[in-house]
Structures are given as C-alpha cells and as structure tokens.
Amino acid sequence: MFTSEQKKFTRLPLGFVFPFSCRQMALDKAELISWSKGFQCSNVEGKDVVQLLQAAISRQEVVALMNNTVGAMMTCSTPQKPCEIALVVGSGTNCCFMAESRLLELADVTSGRMCVNSEWGCLGDDGALDNVLTPYDHRVDQESSNPGERRFEKLVGSVYLGEIVRHAIITLASEQALFVGKNTSALANRGMLTAQQVLGIMDNENGMAKAQDLLESLGLQPSEQDCCRVQQLCRAVVSRAAALSATGLAAVLSHMCYSRQQEQLMVNVGVDGGLYLTSTRFGEIMRSVVGLLAPECTVNLVPTTDGNGLGAAIVTAVALRLAAQQKKMQQLLGPLQLSHTDLQRVQALMMQEMERGLDKERNAESSLRMLPTYVCHTPDGTERGEFLALDLGGTNFRVLAVNVSQENIDMSSKIYAIPTAIMQGTGEALFDHIMDCIIDFQHEKQMRGQALPLGFTFSFPCQQLGLDKAVLLNWTKGFNASDCEGRDVVQLLRDAAQRKRVGKALKVVAVVNDTVGTMMACGYHDPKCEIGLIVGTGTNTCYMEEMAKVGTVEGDQGRMCINMEWGAFGDNGCIDSYFTNFDRQVDEKTINVGKQRFEKLISGMYLGEIVRHILLALVEEEVLLRGKSSQKLKNRNLLQTKFLSTIEAPGLSLLQVQAILRDLDLDANYEDSVLVREVCQIVSRRAAHLCAAGMAAVVEKMRESRGLEQFTVTVGVDGTLYKMHPYFSQNLHKMLKDLAPRCNVTFMQSEDGSGKGAALVAAVSSLGGWRREGSAS
Ligand code: ADP
Ligand code: MG
C-alpha cells in the first residue's frame, strides 16, 4: 500500500483525450494539425501535444494520447463484444475504426489491425461535397472561424445545426414565406438558435409549443404555420445530419467488410456525442440509412457513457499490458534474432572450420568433415547414355531410370516407402528392402536382365575412398540401421544383391551425396554451377575446391568436389553461444543428441519443433493463449515445418491464421495469431540467415582459393524448405549479398537433382571422365 506521502509522488500512467486533428506518431506522440470546434490557442499547431502536456504535468507519465473517437471505441468494447468502430456526433463529428494494418502505408506494422482515426470532419475540404452543399451551408461556412475547412463536420456537428436552420429561416423570411410583415431583425444574431433548441422543436409531442416559445421570445410573433414550417426545417436539417453520418458509417463498414474479405460483417459501433445521445430520432434515421447503404453489415450501435475519460484509461491500460508483453517477448525471442555481427562471426567460424577440415593434421579437430567426393569435374553437356539411379537419404526413397541424350535428360521414377522399423532396424533388412525395390522397379519397367550403370545418391556423411566406395561415417535424419556405420555402402548393396541372386545385374559405378547430385544436375545446364546446397529434411553443401587446398587427398592439380557435411558445423561447440534454450530442448528429443547442431537450427526436420517450444514458453509466460496451457501443444511434432510456410504466406489474413490455429485446437484470438506469425517469421528468418552465413563462407573461400578479386558462381539448390517457404530463399539471398559483397552468386533450383545428378556422375565416370581416382586429371 502507498502511504499518502508516497502516493503524492507516485507516477501514475495517464491517458489523454484530445479531440482535435493530430498526426499520431506513436501512442504517446501526437502533433496537432489544426484546431477545430472553436479552439484557437497560439503556438500549439505543429507541436507534439504530449510533450506540451508532459511539460505541464511533469509528475505524471503519459503513455497514451488518443482521439475522443478512440476513447469511445475502447469504452464500448467488452471481451464478448469487441467494438471496432466508434463514431462521435456531438459538437463536431469524427469516426475511427480498426483497419487492416497491411493496408496502412504510414505505419510500419504489417500484421494485425490498427485503429485509424478518419478525421472525416474534413471530408469535402477538396470540393468533393460541393454538389451537396446548400446556400445555407455556404453561409454558415463563411461565418465560421475556419472558412473552407471541415466541410462535412459543418453539415453534421451540433455547433452548426442551429446556424443552418437560422440561415434557412432568414432566406424564407426574405422570400415572404415566413413571418410575413414581422420584424425579423433578431434573426441576424449568430448563435440565436442552439442545437438543443433545434432538437427540442423536432419533438412530436411538444415541439410545436417549444417553437412557439422560442420564436415569440425573439419577437417574431409566429403564426401557427410559421411554427410548423420552422419545425419542418429543424427536422430536415437534423435528418440530413443523421443521414450523412450514417452514409459515412456505411462507407467505413463496407470498407471493413471488403478489406477483411468477408461477405458479411457483424460489428458493434460505439457512438458518443450529444446529438446521438439526446435524440432518439437521430439514431433511428442512422440505423435505417446504414441498413439501406450497407446491407451486408449488421450493426449494433452502442451508446457510450463517458466514453472519453473511461476510454483514455482503458487505452492506457491496454498500452501498458502490451508494453509488458512486448518486454517478455523480447526477453524470450531476442536470442533468436541474430545481428549482422553475429552472422559475420558465424561466417568466420565456418571459414575457420573449413580450413581445418581440409588440413590433413587438423581434420579431426574440425566439426566439418570436408569429405573428398572424387568428383573432379562438373558436366560439360556432352554426357550420354542410359542409367539407373537410386536416391536414399531424403524423405522418399526412389529408384529411377535416366536417359541422358543430346536433347535432354528423360527420367522415370518410382517412390518407395521406407518404414521407420526398417530405417531403425538392421542394416541387412534395410539393404534387402532397397534391393527388393530395385527388382520391383526393373520388373515394372521391363528392364530385367539389363545391367545398366547405376549411380547411387546416398545422402549421409561418407568417407569416400573412390567414386564407387563410400564408408558410412554415421547416420543422420532419423536413420539408425545397425551394422552400417564404418562399412562401404556399395558393398552393403552388392551383398544384398548376392542374397537376392541378382548380383550380376548390378553395376554400381558411383556413390554421390545429394548435394553433389544437385550440383551436377544444375551444372549440366549452367557450367558456372560449382556449389550444391540442400535445405530440406536436413541441410548440407558441397563445392568445387582447388586440389592444392585439399590436404586430405594426394595431388595438387585441378579441383575436387568437397562434401562439407555442414549440418555438423558446431558439433565441437564452436557455435554454442548462438543456441537458445528452445534449440537445446529440440536437440534433447532427437535420436542424435548433440550432433548435427547447425542442421538443427536450419532444416525442415526441426523448425516446426523450435516454433512449438517457443509457443509453449510464451504460454508459460502468459503472453500467448492468455496463459491457458494447451495439452495439444505439448504433443511432439504437432507443428511441421510446412506450418511455417502456411502461416507466413503473403496475403494470408489474420483471420485465416486464427482458423489454422483453431484447427490445431489452439484457442487463439486475434493477438495470438499476430504473435504466432511473428514467432514463425523469427525462426525461419534465423534459419535463412544462418544458411547465408555458411554460404558466405563457402563463396569467399572459393574466391580466396582461386585468388580472385571478384567471383561469380551459381549454386544448385534442392530441398522443399528452400523451394516452398515464402521467404526463406529471399532472406538467404539478401543476407548472402550483404555478407559476401565481392561474390556474385546466382541460385538455380534443381529439378530432381538427386536422381539426375547420380545419373550424370555415373555418365561422366563410365565415359571415362575421371581416369584416375584420387588425383585430378
Ligand atoms: P529431403 O530433404 O528429405 O530429400 P525434401 O527436400 O522434400 O526432402 O524436404 C522435406 C522437408 O521439407 C520435410 O522435412 C518438411 O519439414 C519440409 N517441408 C515440407 N513441405 C514444406 C513446406 N511447404 N514448406 C517448408 N518446408 C516444407
Ligand atoms: Mg532431397
């Protein structure tokens, strides 16, 4: 509790209702554009009114400045019935509404909604209402303190209604239609008729009596007909004001309905201002006109009670809550947002690890294996022949028949499932299964008995001893079959062929990694393609290195493709400082804890899980789902990486995001949807940026190895994450440009690189492309 003395000095957050046109720069920064409604203090226009107020009340802290319409909107909102439009029809008129942020060019927010203060009182200042204005309106305008401005407000605001009626009466009197033969000098007094009086005269029951009283008090000696006509005039002017506000409201409603891509809109409209609150007729007219003009919208007009004061307090409370939430978000998500310096550091570490990996003595210290592939040339386009290819190590296992001809490369393939029981069973069972698939394929394509050269895309880390000899170092990506690590996979395949008695029909000529296959496939079309990149289930890269820089293979001539196995980058702890708790939680639940650390920050197998762990933490911190823990969210793999692509898809409305989350049984509201999207963006952006840092090291290493000032190269890419995510590739390209400015890098997507590439390696090798393995020709 505060003592009274403490209380005196406690800074209470203050919300400030300021019902004039302001250019709002932030919740607590608003520059007065112009005074209206009779205010005209000097030295305020163009200044930040919060600052002025701040200076005046130095003890209070201003967190929110808002327009009176916003106040009305906030007050009328209840959790069950959010109010998304507010209207003020009092001395002046204005309207604010929740607009889709993506449509707002001024604000640097692109998701969610933001309250827009329309300042519709200014409608017509450019002449747009000229057809509607009567001579009485012109006279009212001329006599006002701001002629030519706020034309719409001057048709609707109560400050002006009495004046419009007065000018109409003057005209009718001068045309001898009213007060014939009477002294009408009293009509010359500005402000002789108030809005209150106009509304009183409109009244069915005692309006006539009120008209008579008033006109008599002005010495006009009205006849019954005079009173009747004045009453009609008052009704006409007020009805027009009501109809015009309703017209404006209908326009806003239709806009909201359309921009939300809804066929119907149901919405609460908070209404404040004396005109609406004191005249039931005003509201009746508004409802019927809105019904006519915006039939697609169902509107509930909610009158405010002290909209302004209460509203300011509510906005202030909301602003404080959001600020606290932002702070928690920043604490949790900050470590996932890597700065330029962080990425340069990752790039330098990658470079250092590459150099160590290529060094004969220090190879074992490096987390990058930098495996020689014995692929010494990229294709030159003259390769020909028919080949069989296998693709193992991705989501699907495939067998392919590939025909490389002068015109193009024809392929036919079949996908075979590898059940988890086989992936994680015995090696013998795995390779038997693979042989069965090959036999089935040959049978189906009527290729039995043909011993075509076979290229084997095997996308796991292998110590390659020759083009057709590859010792599996360790499984990754969920594979874990026994008795395979440390053995030559070509031999394992040949053994299986023996067991199936088809040994003679199998002619394995090359084992390649999928990165190499991808590079070769793209290299067939673009000779500048000397890098292969995969961002799918896992991630990896290969590139053409100068033999002189490859300390692990004899010979200094020419180049050799190096399979970096960059998924394992950091397994020696060198990038641990960039790991977050979320990453560690994901890692702990994998079958290869502590391994493939770089991959686990980037690839499709993990991003969904990272997002899920972050969402769990946000719920825990009561920032998400109002802190209600969700059983569903605790399920591993609830979110696939595809989820990130879906949620981040450009043009997806937040309502759609909300629907997707609800499908997952997550009771998400609008704010939750914004948050979930933000989390997905942060995770996918980090992945793309880390990938860029790695790639920057690769291209810079190539440039340096070749002793070039500038370097132009193409990267062949494969992988569903790279291809399908709406922003991954863009983020990667842009960051790579920043990190490696001296390299001009083009990306080329491979169409089925693994299959095509394996065939091309087989083609190049069987045609004698690489005469001596182990040293470049
Ligand atoms: P692989 O790398 O196994 O050869 P892919 O390149 O097809 O196979 O990548 C599969 C991975 O891509 C899956 O792990 C999945 O997480 C991810 N993925 C699938 N669909 C999408 C998508 N629409 N957006 C982003 N990632 C996706
Ligand atoms: Mg693949």
Side-chain angles (χ1 to χ4, degrees):
M1 290 300 285
F2 296 122
T3 66
S4 61
E5 196 55 22
Q6 277 171 330
K7 213 172 199 167
K8 226 194 273 173
F9 294 104
T10 308
R11 294 156 139 261
L12 290 175
L14 170 75
F16 179 22
V17 176
F18 192 72
F20 300 97
S21 314
C22 286
R23 185 175 298 112
Q24 196 123 11
M25 277 83 81
L27 204 49
D28 61 353
K29 197 166 166 54
E31 227 174 67
L32 177 65
I33 297 171
S34 60
W35 288 113
S36 55
K37 293 176 279 196
F39 278 77
Q40 197 55 264
C41 309
S42 59
N43 276 335
V44 180
E45 289 182 358
K47 296 208 173 135
D48 176 1
V49 289
V50 176
Q51 247 176 30
L52 294 177
L53 183 71
Q54 193 88 267
I57 340 165
S58 55
R59 193 160 296 124
Q60 309 275 7
E61 200 172 344
V62 179
V63 283
L65 178 128
M66 57 172 174
N67 190 271
N68 52 338
T69 49
V70 185
M73 191 173 82
M74 288 292 167
T75 332
C76 292
S77 270
T78 61
Q80 294 76 33
K81 283 209 264 170
C83 168
E84 296 188 281
I85 310 187
L87 199 63
V88 172
V89 264
S91 55
T93 184
N94 194 7
C95 171
C96 73
F97 64 101
M98 296 305 282
E100 304 300 299
S101 298
R102 70 189 148 80
L103 300 177
L104 303 178
E105 282 176 19
L106 295 171
D108 58 355
V109 197
T110 51
S111 52
R113 289 176 187 160
M114 190 189 268
C115 179
V116 168
N117 172 7
S118 73
E119 283 298 336
W120 78 11
C122 300
L123 178 70
D125 289 7
D126 58 353
L129 291 176
D130 287 358
N131 287 336
V132 182
L133 298 174
T134 65
Y136 321 124
D137 300 316
H138 285 298
R139 269 171 235 151
V140 170
D141 178 52
Q142 284 310 312
E143 289 180 4
S144 69
S145 60
N146 52 350
E149 287 174 22
R150 305 191 75 85
R151 302 311 300 260
F152 187 67
E153 182 162 274
K154 286 172 186 165
L155 304 178
V156 174
S158 64
V159 168
Y160 306 98
L161 296 188
E163 282 297 285
I164 301 171
V165 174
R166 182 175 72 89
H167 279 289
I169 294 175
I170 291 173
T171 306
L172 289 178
S174 72
E175 288 170 2
Q176 304 292 320
L178 274 177
F179 312 124
V180 182
K182 310 286 162 51
N183 175 6
T184 56
S185 59
L187 292 173
N189 295 334
R190 273 178 63 194
M192 66 154 238
L193 195 59
T194 66
Q196 234 57 45
Q197 289 164 325
V198 171
L199 292 175
I201 292 169
M202 274 177 69
D203 194 62
N204 279 338
E205 280 178 18
N206 39 26
M208 280 294 281
K210 286 187 174 167
Q212 190 165 1
D213 286 353
L214 177 79
L215 297 172
E216 275 173 3
S217 76
L218 292 170
L220 291 164
Q221 300 170 310
S223 65
E224 190 170 340
Q225 200 188 20
D226 288 337
C227 293
C228 191
R229 290 208 169 136
V230 167
Q231 185 180 46
Q232 281 170 348
L233 268 179
C234 289
R235 283 184 179 154
V237 169
V238 172
S239 304
R240 186 183 65 157
L244 283 171
S245 352
T247 308
L249 177 60
V252 171
L253 287 165
S254 297
H255 168 81
M256 285 171 78
C257 186
Y258 176 77
S259 64
R260 293 176 185 192
Q261 295 158 5
Q262 286 169 216
E263 296 201 343
Q264 295 202 317
L265 181 73
M266 272 180 72
V267 70
N268 285 330
V269 180
V271 195
D272 196 2
L275 266 182
Y276 178 80
L277 296 179
T278 54
S279 162
T280 45
R281 185 72 194 123
F282 199 93
E284 283 165 18
I285 296 171
M286 278 193 66
R287 266 183 285 274
S288 81
V289 173
V290 168
L292 280 172
L293 295 181
E296 73 277 26
C297 303
T298 311
V299 179
N300 179 25
L301 300 180
V302 186
T304 65
T305 45
D306 188 23
N308 297 342
L310 193 54
I314 294 172
V315 172
T316 306
V318 170
L320 282 178
R321 179 170 64 77
L322 291 178
Q325 191 169 314
Q326 271 297 317
K327 205 166 152 197
K328 275 187 192 163
M329 284 274 288
Q330 199 43 43
Q331 275 169 1
L332 285 173
L333 303 181
L336 290 150
Q337 289 160 307
L338 300 179
S339 68
H340 216 265
T341 320
D342 292 332
L343 294 169
Q344 282 171 327
R345 181 94 193 98
V346 172
Q347 176 183 352
L349 282 167
M350 178 72 87
M351 179 79 99
Q352 184 186 314
E353 293 281 284
M354 286 171 81
E355 277 162 4
R356 277 190 200 162
L358 290 170
D359 188 295
K360 199 168 183 170
E361 268 75 52
R362 306 183 64 193
N363 175 275
E365 293 166 32
S366 174
S367 59
L368 294 179
R369 290 212 177 87
M370 304 300 284
L371 301 165
T373 63
Y374 294 87
V375 170
C376 300
H377 298 282
T378 48
D380 63 8
T382 63
E383 295 75 14
R384 305 280 177 269
E386 272 192 68
F387 307 90
L388 208 56
L390 299 183
D391 178 12
L392 179 73
T395 305
N396 297 309
F397 167 57
R398 294 176 316 153
V399 185
L400 307 94
V402 186
N403 184 3
V404 186
S405 65
Q406 195 164 357
E407 294 77 39
N408 54 6
I409 303 179
D410 289 326
M411 299 196 289
S412 65
S413 70
K414 187 169 174 192
I415 291 175
Y416 295 89
I418 299 202
T420 311
I422 287 188
M423 272 163 69
Q424 302 180 358
T426 69
E428 232 180 67
L430 173 63
F431 280 88
D432 279 348
H433 178 69
I434 291 172
M435 257 342 282
D436 285 337
C437 297
I438 299 174
I439 292 165
D440 172 81
F441 182 78
Q442 289 185 318
H443 183 72
E444 192 165 296
K445 304 282 172 195
Q446 292 164 355
M447 297 167 62
R448 282 171 88 178
Q450 272 178 289
L452 296 178
L454 184 146
F456 186 5
T457 301
F458 185 75
S459 310
F460 300 96
C462 287
Q463 180 77 55
Q464 203 123 9
L465 301 173
L467 201 56
D468 65 347
K469 199 167 168 58
V471 175
L472 174 65
L473 294 170
N474 55 274
W475 288 116
T476 56
K477 295 178 280 192
F479 276 75
N480 202 12
S482 62
D483 296 324
C484 296
E485 292 180 357
R487 302 184 60 186
D488 172 13
V489 293
V490 176
Q491 196 54 50
L492 290 174
L493 191 60
R494 286 184 182 136
D495 291 348
Q498 290 296 335
R499 287 195 293 275
K500 301 275 169 193
R501 300 181 200 294
V502 289
K504 287 209 177 62
L506 198 73
K507 210 168 86 186
V508 183
V509 297
V511 187
V512 296
N513 187 269
D514 52 356
T515 51
V516 181
T518 299
M519 178 185 78
M520 296 295 272
C522 291
Y524 186 79
H525 304 285
D526 175 359
K528 282 221 164 0
C529 181
E530 296 187 274
I531 302 176
L533 168 68
I534 303 286
V535 196
T537 306
T539 182
N540 190 15
T541 291
C542 72
Y543 73 103
M544 297 303 291
E545 181 60 282
E546 303 300 303
M547 276 300 287
K549 305 278 178 185
V550 184
T552 47
V553 179
E554 293 295 309
D556 276 351
Q557 297 301 305
R559 295 177 183 146
M560 184 181 278
C561 179
I562 301 295
N563 167 14
M564 291 176 65
E565 286 299 336
W566 84 0
F569 175 48
D571 286 6
N572 57 3
C574 71
I575 51 168
D576 275 7
S577 58
Y578 301 107
F579 281 85
T580 65
N581 284 335
F582 311 118
D583 303 315
R584 282 183 273 273
Q585 286 161 352
V586 171
D587 180 43
E588 274 162 25
K589 293 280 182 275
T590 58
I591 62 168
N592 53 351
V593 181
K595 299 276 165 58
Q596 299 293 101
R597 295 193 199 176
F598 192 54
E599 176 163 276
K600 285 173 185 166
L601 305 177
I602 294 177
S603 73
M605 194 157 183
Y606 308 100
L607 297 193
E609 270 300 275
I610 299 175
V611 167
R612 188 179 69 85
H613 280 283
I614 296 172
L615 297 186
L616 277 173
L618 290 174
V619 174
E620 180 87 2
E621 288 289 329
E622 305 195 345
V623 177
L624 193 71
L625 303 177
R626 294 157 309 292
K628 275 187 287 175
S629 79
S630 148
Q631 208 47 48
K632 191 94 182 216
L633 201 53
K634 293 185 180 140
N635 290 345
R636 268 185 73 196
N637 301 325
L638 172 76
L639 308 180
Q640 306 286 304
T641 296
K642 193 176 170 186
F643 173 81
L644 280 75
S645 295
T646 312
I647 294 289
E648 292 181 57
L652 192 77
S653 77
L654 282 164
L655 271 176
Q656 289 167 295
V657 174
Q658 197 175 357
I660 294 168
L661 294 174
R662 296 228 160 128
D663 271 352
L664 291 170
D665 267 359
L666 301 178
D667 180 20
N669 65 18
Y670 209 72
E671 279 174 31
D672 293 330
S673 310
V674 176
L675 228 60
V676 170
R677 178 139 87 190
E678 207 170 318
V679 169
C680 289
Q681 283 165 345
I682 287 174
V683 171
S684 71
R685 193 184 308 128
R686 182 182 66 153
H689 284 172
L690 283 169
C691 193
M695 191 49 73
V698 173
V699 293
E700 274 293 297
K701 176 81 176 68
M702 290 173 84
R703 188 183 65 76
E704 280 177 18
S705 288
R706 297 175 189 199
L708 299 171
E709 274 302 310
Q710 295 283 330
F711 178 48
T712 301
V713 69
T714 298
V715 181
V717 206
D718 203 351
T720 306
L721 175 55
Y722 179 93
K723 287 178 173 172
M724 298 299 289
H725 188 279
Y727 295 107
F728 187 95
S729 55
Q730 243 166 278
N731 287 334
L732 162 60
H733 301 167
K734 195 161 168 295
M735 188 51 75
L736 178 59
K737 248 201 177 77
D738 284 355
L739 294 173
R742 288 201 269 177
C743 298
N744 174 19
V745 187
T746 309
F747 285 79
M748 177 177 188
Q749 288 195 17
S750 89
E751 299 304 327
D752 205 345
S754 305
K756 223 190 255 184
L760 281 166
V761 177
V764 176
S765 77
S766 62
L767 297 174
W770 297 299
R771 277 174 291 276
R772 280 180 302 131
E773 286 157 4
S775 60
S777 49

